[in-house]
Amino acid sequence: MNMLKRTPLFELYAKYGGKTVDFGGWELPVQFSSILEEHHAVRNNAGLFDVSHMGEVLIKGPDAEKVIQYLCTNDSASMQKNQAIYTAMCYPSGGIVDDLLIYKIEEHEYLLVINASNIDKDVDWIVSQAKGDVTIENQSDRIAQLALQGPKAEAILQKLTSSDLSGITFFHFRQDVDIAGVKTLVSRTGYTGEDGFELYVDALDACTLWEKILEAGKEEGVLPCGLGARDTLRFEARLPLYGQELDKDISPLEAGIGFAVKVAKEEDFIGKEALVRQKQEGVSRKIVGIEMVGRGIPRNGYSVYASGSSEEDEAIGYITSGTQSPTLKKNLGLALIQTDFASVGTQVEVEVRGKRVEAITVKTPFYKR
């Protein structure tokens, strides 16, 4: 474990009962109390996550917007300062390099927030594809990120600042906000399906801010939360995870994030030709929601078959994520399956430990606040 990377908050994990695991080369807490308790805390009150393992890349210069437009599938042309958008970054094949958030800091300055396991790959890709008058800085080691999520997040954070947080609307942010004496970029974004904030600070200030928020939120029932609850929360809200719903062999249209692909934007972008073709011809497979009818929990990698198919028939797809939903008390999954079987209400079978179990395709997201 000593070889694993650690965030600036690592020293506080033990104080709050954090149990750590190897997560893509990072030593991170899977839970502090229990996954279920933390999950329900976020749905009902608030939870605080250390997500400092995420990467941050600053792109600035006169050609910054041009570079962003070429790298990303979404359209950043109409972004205002202090606005964020979600996007995919694709290969020419249409497969996904990563999914990320773009923050417009200034007219010619953008912050890209990328997945922890992809930092080196993403930075190499961005540098190799960028042209023109720009500088690219990997600031992942300098910036820490906390996520305060849940219906009481605003009330808790408001105790620590004189800045009116209610004025920050969804997918917008405010820079240099004084939160308990810590200069913070406060963004109304998150990965749980709840209201809340993502907070970007200097790595040296992360421990101070973590403890101040937990102290301020005691009355509201805020809990420190780990990766376990983060995964069940994002799953219920159908928020994709790179490596499961997204990867180099899955396109944004197959993954269900076609809303972040703007093929009509003026500028050319990497993967556009392949994605335009997919839009015109339709995709042959797509990610759908699955609810188990029989007993069993669908897990990542489990095969999915057409209902009533024989042993000789090939699978129509596989489960990308699955769990027993803590909120809905159902065994649910996301599955990448052939489009012919993707309509809501289609009966299918999931192979659970060598036995095919009945399931049905259902609408997503499973949970919406």
Side-chain angles (χ1 to χ4, degrees), residues 327-344:
T327 303
L328 303 170
K329 316 293 186 194
K330 295 178 179 177
N331 293 337
L332 302 171
L334 294 171
L336 181 61
I337 64 173
Q338 295 173 18
T339 305
D340 289 345
F341 300 90
S343 298
V344 170

Side-chain angles (χ1 to χ4, degrees), residues 32-34 37-38 41-42 46-49 210 214 217 221-225:
F32 289 89
S33 48
S34 79
E37 189 176 358
E38 293 164 22
V42 174
L48 182 63
F49 300 82
W210 173 272
L214 289 180
V222 66
L223 290 181
C225 298

Side-chain angles (χ1 to χ4, degrees), residues 184-358:
T184 307
L185 186 154
V186 180
S187 172
R188 197 150 209 146
T189 47
Y191 192 54
T192 62
E194 295 297 335
D195 186 22
F197 300 95
E198 292 179 306
L199 311 169
Y200 299 86
V201 297
D202 188 297
L204 297 174
D205 294 324
C207 290
T208 299
L209 189 59
W210 173 272
E211 300 225 78
K212 292 285 188 184
I213 292 172
L214 289 180
E215 179 65 27
K218 272 184 178 177
E219 289 183 5
E220 286 80 4
V222 66
L223 290 181
C225 298
L227 295 171
R230 184 170 166 83
D231 192 54
T232 54
L233 290 158
R234 73 90 194 165
F235 167 78
E236 288 182 342
R238 201 202 191 281
L239 298 171
L241 176 64
Y242 194 89
Q244 293 185 202
E245 282 73 43
L246 313 171
D247 71 26
K248 66 180 179 56
D249 297 317
I250 302 174
S251 82
L253 303 180
E254 293 172 326
I257 58 168
F259 63 87
V261 178
K262 302 293 169 54
V263 294
K265 74 177 180 180
E266 203 169 297
E267 295 84 356
D268 191 20
F269 63 90
I270 302 170
K272 180 177 180 178
E273 187 177 336
L275 294 171
V276 167
R277 189 165 57 247
Q278 283 192 4
K279 273 185 177 279
Q280 291 172 341
E281 298 175 358
V283 294
S284 61
R285 56 181 191 165
K286 62 197 301 187
I287 288 181
V288 299
I290 293 282
E291 180 178 334
M292 300 303 292
V293 177
R295 290 173 62 87
I297 298 175
R299 299 293 189 190
N300 173 248
Y302 284 8
S303 296
V304 179
Y305 293 86
S307 180
S309 59
S310 68
E311 292 296 320
E312 291 75 31
D313 290 331
E314 291 186 0
I316 59 170
Y318 61 94
I319 300 293
T320 55
S321 295
T323 190
Q324 183 177 63
S325 162
T327 303
L328 303 170
K329 316 293 186 194
K330 295 178 179 177
N331 293 337
L332 302 171
L334 294 171
L336 181 61
I337 64 173
Q338 295 173 18
T339 305
D340 289 345
F341 300 90
S343 298
V344 170
T346 304
Q347 293 182 330
V348 296
E349 295 173 353
V350 180
E351 187 170 277
V352 179
R353 297 178 180 176
K355 182 181 176 184
R356 294 190 188 182
V357 180
E358 287 182 53

